[in-house]
């Protein structure tokens, strides 16, 4: 029986048995299991298969700490500069012996998954001669049944982790051939998807309305624009990784070809403390290090200036691991009204 079909039957069995577990048509081992998400949402704080310091029924789910993430209603995820994407699925500890028994036996009892598959499963998990070893109960506290977890947005490849549950003693590596077994790097890549950066609305001077041929200064306030990070961990394995996004440059698109940017490339590099330079009295005759000059009026409307920040993404993890991940970008438009300078004739 194909592995992809089995969970569908398993779901039907659980529903027939009155189970409260909600299942999707995941591959074998990729079910959601008992309550507790396997891939977090976008809020701040700590989330995942944990309730405070207590793990939920799913043994090895990833816990995300977003307390150092970007905040605010306009905060959003970065877009990778390449075609790279975080893992669509991965393997990690999922059940203790007792938890896996509680999950599988109602499926078998419902008899809706077929005799052949039920018999195969019982052969794998039960020990007729020594029932105390059913589901590896004699190894409780010495390891976990591993299974697959799925990115809940179901990107391409979400169904590739189709191996059935397998046992791993604590401290041992997963069996050879298991691709995407959770590691600090995989945690870092999953934390990448949880990064939220603040809005890229830039400060302009003059503010509100600017004039044709008048250089407009642009900058991002250092107090509001700083690195953000998310930490992902698997508590039962004692591994974690922190992914950090640091703003490195700002690209300005004036919203019209009739404009000149400063610098000419339109890309303002970070100075370490801020991007761009605040306008101060006495700088009216100077060229802004970061800004724009409009060459015509916006008329009765406005120009949709777009500010896009490039974020450098790095990570550090258990075992002194760490590296770069693809840069990310996040942008937002803001309307700029440009007026002609009126001359007074006497």
């Amino acid at each position: 029986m194909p592995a992809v079909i089995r969970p569908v039957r398993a779901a039907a069995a659980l529903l027939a048995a009155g189970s409260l577990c909600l299942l999707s048509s995941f591959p074998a081992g990729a079910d959601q299991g008992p309550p507790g998400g396997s891939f977090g949402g976008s809020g701040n704080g700590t989330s995942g298969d944990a309730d405070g310091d207590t793990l939920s029924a799913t043994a090895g789910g990833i816990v995300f700490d977003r307390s150092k993430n970007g905040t605010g209603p306009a905060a959003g995820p970065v877009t990778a500069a390449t075609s790279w994407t975080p893992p669509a699925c991965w393997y990690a500890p999922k059940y203790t012996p007792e938890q896996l028994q509680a999950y599988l036996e109602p499926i078998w009892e419902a008899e809706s998954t077929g005799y052949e598959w039920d018999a195969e499963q019982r052969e794998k998990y039960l020990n007729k001669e020594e029932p105390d070893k059913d589901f590896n109960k004699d190894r409780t506290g010495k390891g976990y049944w591993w299974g697959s977890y799925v990115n809940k947005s179901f990107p391409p490849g979400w169904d590739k982790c189709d191996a059935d549950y397998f046992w791993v003693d604590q401290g041992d590596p997963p069996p050879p051939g298991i691709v995407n077994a959770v590691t600090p790097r995989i945690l870092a890549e999953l934390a990448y998807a949880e990064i939220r950066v603040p809005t890229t609305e830039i400060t302009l001077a003059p503010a509100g309305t600017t004039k044709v041929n008048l250089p407009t200064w642009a900058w991002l306030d250092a107090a509001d624009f700083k690195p953000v990070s998310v930490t992902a961990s698997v508590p039962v394995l004692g591994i974690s990784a922190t992914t950090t996004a640091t703003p490195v440059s700002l690209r300005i698109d004036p919203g019209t070809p009739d404009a000149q940017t400063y610098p000419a490339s339109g890309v303002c590099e970070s100075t370490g403390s801020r991007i761009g330079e605040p306008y101060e009295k006495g700088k009216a005759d100077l060229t802004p290090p970061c800004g724009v000059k409009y060459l015509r009026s916006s008329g009765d409307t406005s120009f949709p200036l777009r500010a896009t920040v490039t974020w450098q993404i790095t990570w550090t993890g258990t075992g002194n691991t760490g590296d770069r991940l693809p840069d990310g970008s996040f942008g937002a438009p803001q309307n700029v009204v440009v007026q002609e300078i009126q001359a007074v004739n006497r």
Side-chain angles (χ1 to χ4, degrees):
M1 182 179 298
V4 174
I5 302 300
R6 292 172 178 170
V8 178
R9 293 188 175 183
L14 282 177
L15 290 173
S19 171
L20 295 178
C21 293
L22 299 178
L23 300 178
S24 298
S25 54
F26 297 152
D31 56 274
Q32 298 270 353
S38 60
F39 195 76
S42 60
N44 292 318
T46 301
S47 70
D49 289 320
D51 180 10
D53 294 328
T54 304
L55 284 173
S56 75
T58 303
I62 295 173
V63 176
F64 293 97
D65 180 355
R66 305 183 187 86
S67 61
K68 297 180 180 179
N69 217 351
T71 59
V78 295
T79 300
T82 68
S83 59
W84 174 89
T85 58
C89 65
W90 61 94
Y91 295 97
K94 194 149 194 175
Y95 296 118
T96 64
E98 292 77 8
Q99 289 165 352
L100 184 58
Q101 180 181 18
Y103 170 64
L104 286 179
E105 285 193 336
I107 298 175
W108 301 341
E109 292 172 2
E111 298 182 349
S112 62
T113 52
Y115 172 80
E116 180 181 349
W117 186 63
D118 286 353
E120 178 184 318
Q121 292 288 293
R122 287 188 171 95
E123 182 72 20
K124 177 177 181 179
Y125 299 110
L126 302 181
N127 189 319
K128 297 179 180 178
E129 297 180 359
E130 299 181 77
D132 61 324
K133 293 185 178 181
D134 288 354
F135 296 92
N136 284 4
K137 285 182 182 178
D138 59 322
R139 303 199 62 77
T140 297
K142 299 178 181 179
Y144 291 95
W145 288 101
W146 286 45
S148 64
Y149 292 78
V150 176
N151 182 331
K152 289 180 180 177
S153 64
F154 298 99
W158 68 268
D159 55 348
K160 298 299 183 183
C161 299
D162 57 0
D164 202 354
Y165 301 113
F166 53 90
W167 179 265
V168 179
D169 282 331
Q170 284 183 304
D172 287 351
I178 295 296
V179 180
N180 270 19
V182 68
T183 61
R185 182 177 179 88
I186 284 181
L187 291 177
E189 293 175 349
L190 294 173
Y192 186 114
E194 299 299 308
I195 289 285
R196 297 294 179 267
V197 296
T199 177
T200 53
E201 183 172 358
I202 54 179
T203 303
L204 299 173
T209 301
T210 189
K211 306 295 183 182
V212 172
N213 293 320
L214 176 67
T216 299
W217 293 58
W219 68 94
L220 288 165
D221 191 336
D224 299 326
F225 220 73
K226 54 190 176 183
V228 299
S229 65
V230 171
T231 297
S233 63
V234 179
V236 299
L237 292 182
I239 62 173
S240 66
T242 298
T243 300
T244 301
T246 303
V248 293
S249 65
L250 165 70
R251 176 179 290 277
I252 296 177
D253 179 355
T256 173
D258 298 316
Q260 176 183 342
T261 58
Y262 305 100
S265 65
V267 178
C268 308
E269 302 292 340
S270 171
T271 62
S273 59
R274 65 167 58 89
I275 299 180
E277 182 179 321
Y279 175 79
E280 297 176 358
K281 186 177 181 180
K283 293 183 177 180
D285 295 330
L286 301 180
T287 299
C290 182
V292 60
K293 179 170 69 177
Y294 286 97
L295 306 180
R296 69 175 178 88
S297 166
S298 60
D300 295 330
T301 181
S302 59
F303 292 127
L305 180 148
R306 185 172 185 85
T308 302
V309 173
T310 294
W311 296 78
Q312 185 181 88
I313 313 295
T314 58
W315 69 276
T316 58
T318 301
N320 296 319
T321 51
D323 202 351
R324 290 277 300 273
L325 290 171
D327 289 349
S329 63
F330 183 67
Q334 57 193 94
N335 296 324
V336 178
V337 176
V338 182
Q339 297 178 342
E340 294 279 2
I341 298 177
Q342 301 296 322
V344 178
N345 295 321
R346 296 183 180 274

